[in-house]
Amino acid sequence: MNTPLKGTLGKIDNVIIAITKYLSYLGGVALVAIMLIAFFNVLGEKIFVKGIPNSADIIKYLHMPVVFTGMAYVNLDTGHTRIDLLSSKFPAFVQKICMTIGNLFGAFICGFIAYRGVERVITYFERNMLSATGSGFILWPFAAVLVVGFALLAVSYVWAIVRQYAPHEEAPTETEEGGEQ
């Protein structure tokens, strides 16, 4: 993790990190749900010759929270959404420019996907759209997760730019940490 930001930006940074971190836990909950559905479906099919209806579709749609609720946190915490294989060879100021341009593109693309996704969520909600198989289940909550995930990722890209140019606190030296002088 980077050195903390100074003052008010540091407080805002802590709030943004906390929000994205706690939302990423929904992905873990969805992953546990996937595991349980798969387990009980196999158990039901082997013992009772009847599994959970639409289990494959439910599992497929539960992958959305697994992926989209954690993207913003990963982007802000470790920066794993960028690839710096080539740019790491550039001078520091060029690296900074490349990261800014990449974050701007990421913010624009993710923001646009979120913006267009809102229309889809509204359509799914108004028409009470169901999954295509069997008894079906409502789709709008899954589309809403996708929209929220992309919106948070867009915000995280913008915030990554703010973090890049904002003043940071000085990293403590060994003597300040209680080490030997």
Side-chain angles (χ1 to χ4, degrees):
M1 180 125 178
N2 299 335
T3 57
L5 299 178
K6 288 184 178 180
T8 305
L9 287 179
K11 292 176 185 175
I12 294 170
D13 189 50
N14 291 338
V15 169
I16 290 173
I17 290 292
I19 289 170
T20 58
K21 181 179 184 178
Y22 289 116
L23 282 175
S24 72
Y25 292 155
L26 294 175
V29 171
L31 201 54
V32 169
I34 289 170
M35 179 190 66
L36 291 173
I37 290 168
F39 174 77
F40 285 113
N41 184 52
V42 170
L43 195 65
E45 286 180 355
K46 298 298 179 187
I47 294 175
F48 304 111
V49 191
K50 183 167 175 144
I52 299 172
N54 299 330
S55 62
D57 277 345
I58 294 169
I59 289 171
K60 178 174 66 174
Y61 282 103
L62 279 175
H63 279 89
M64 293 176 81
V66 170
V67 173
F68 293 108
T69 58
M71 288 189 312
Y73 179 66
V74 169
N75 185 42
L76 290 175
D77 189 49
T78 59
H80 279 17
T81 57
R82 70 175 184 266
I83 300 170
D84 57 359
L85 182 66
L86 181 61
S87 65
S88 64
K89 309 292 186 223
F90 297 154
F93 76 94
V94 176
Q95 287 181 20
K96 206 170 198 177
I97 292 170
C98 289
M99 283 180 26
T100 302
I101 291 170
N103 285 331
L104 284 172
F105 276 130
F108 175 75
I109 292 167
C110 293
F112 183 74
I113 292 170
Y115 169 74
R116 295 296 295 162
V118 170
E119 180 183 317
R120 181 62 52 110
V121 172
I122 292 169
T123 301
Y124 282 2
F125 184 78
E126 288 176 343
R127 295 182 184 173
N128 198 26
M129 298 285 288
L130 302 175
S131 66
T133 59
S135 59
F137 51 90
I138 56 174
L139 292 177
W140 71 264
F142 298 100
V145 166
L146 180 120
V147 168
V148 169
F150 272 112
L152 283 173
L153 187 57
V155 168
S156 76
Y157 279 123
V158 171
W159 191 250
I161 294 170
V162 171
R163 280 175 138 190
Q164 187 177 358
Y165 294 101
H168 291 72
E169 293 180 2
E170 296 297 322
T173 61
E174 272 192 44
T175 57
E176 291 174 359
E177 292 176 355
E180 294 181 24
Q181 291 187 10

